[in-house]
Amino acid sequence: MRTYNHLFTDVYKFREFLDEVSVKDSDRILIRIHSAIHTKEQMQDLTEQIRELLPDAGIIGCSTMQVISDGQLVPTACLISVTIMDRAVVKTARVSCLDDNGEWKAGDVLAEEVVRETLHGQEGFLLIFFPLPYGKIENFVETVNETGVAVKMLGGAAYLEDKEGNSRGDLAYVLEGTTVSGTDAVMALISAEDLC
């Protein structure tokens, strides 16, 4: 597994970066995007451009106040990480955190849905990002652990602040593929025999 990080400025430099590190399209590529500079609409455009360059890659990410680059916190940047899997398979998914009435699902309900409809009993490493307003993550994690599905999880919540430093869940977003959302959880399951 190899990971290459790129501080995004424009799609032309990103294309040059892909050529420099010899990234070829594959379903064994995971692209993670963390941005402190893109709105939901701008991120939608960016993911569509990336999808044109790497149509088979899995794409997930979220808004953030800062990205980590070369061990430094950078507040006004967008970091694109491209991970190439040698033997692992990447599967991305997006699940709504809202029920049919527009209310936030309980953590155990969301966990059971993810295990049943996304994980399908597969083992591996689950990278997951939640929308900022979703406050039932602890219950979600406990329930996934109780199901017996052997996944290790890492992730967090999308975040954004306004200029005064107030949390702005209405502006925060997660993304999967080319879909940007403020109410979904997004995830990537990385699975391989030797990884498990």
Side-chain angles (χ1 to χ4, degrees):
M1 183 171 7
R2 301 174 311 275
T3 298
Y4 304 99
N5 294 320
H6 174 75
L7 282 176
F8 180 84
T9 53
D10 63 58
V11 74
Y12 304 106
K13 288 184 180 164
F14 181 65
R15 187 187 314 253
E16 289 175 5
F17 158 77
L18 293 176
D19 290 340
E20 286 171 15
V21 295
S22 301
V23 173
K24 305 285 187 264
D25 187 39
S26 166
D27 62 354
R28 293 181 184 260
I29 294 176
L30 175 62
I31 297 173
R32 289 173 292 119
I33 306 172
H34 298 283
S35 182
I37 58 174
H38 291 93
T39 64
K40 289 178 187 177
E41 295 76 20
Q42 291 167 333
M43 184 53 68
Q44 182 80 41
D45 292 340
L46 175 58
T47 56
E48 288 171 3
Q49 292 173 335
I50 291 172
R51 177 62 74 213
E52 287 177 18
L53 296 172
L54 300 168
D56 295 324
I59 303 172
I60 65 167
C62 65
S63 58
T64 184
M65 285 307 299
Q66 302 177 51
V67 299
I68 301 170
S69 178
D70 295 326
Q72 302 294 316
L73 291 173
V74 184
T76 55
C78 173
L79 181 71
I80 301 177
S81 295
V82 180
T83 302
I84 302 166
M85 313 289 171
D86 295 322
R87 293 179 298 278
V89 175
V90 178
K91 176 184 170 189
T92 64
R94 179 174 38 86
V95 177
S96 177
C97 293
L98 300 178
D99 63 20
D100 293 338
N101 298 321
E103 301 292 324
W104 294 106
K105 292 177 184 172
D108 58 339
V109 171
L110 183 63
E112 289 168 3
E113 184 178 343
V114 167
V115 167
R116 183 180 62 250
E117 298 177 19
T118 303
L119 298 180
H120 302 289
Q122 288 181 293
E123 299 177 349
F125 175 71
L126 185 67
L127 181 59
I128 186 164
F129 301 113
F130 295 91
L132 179 62
Y134 188 73
K136 300 167 175 40
I137 297 172
E138 184 176 344
N139 187 245
F140 173 91
V141 171
E142 288 173 0
T143 303
V144 171
N145 287 338
E146 290 168 2
T147 65
V149 176
V151 292
K152 301 293 183 193
M153 290 180 276
L154 180 68
Y159 192 76
L160 274 181
E161 291 178 352
D162 61 19
K163 292 178 183 175
E164 289 77 40
N166 300 309
S167 179
R168 290 294 304 270
D170 58 321
L171 299 177
Y173 57 82
V174 296
L175 62 104
E176 186 267 334
T178 59
T179 302
V180 180
S181 171
T183 58
D184 294 342
V186 299
M187 61 211 76
L189 177 66
I190 302 168
S191 186
E193 232 175 84
D194 53 350
L195 178 66
C196 296

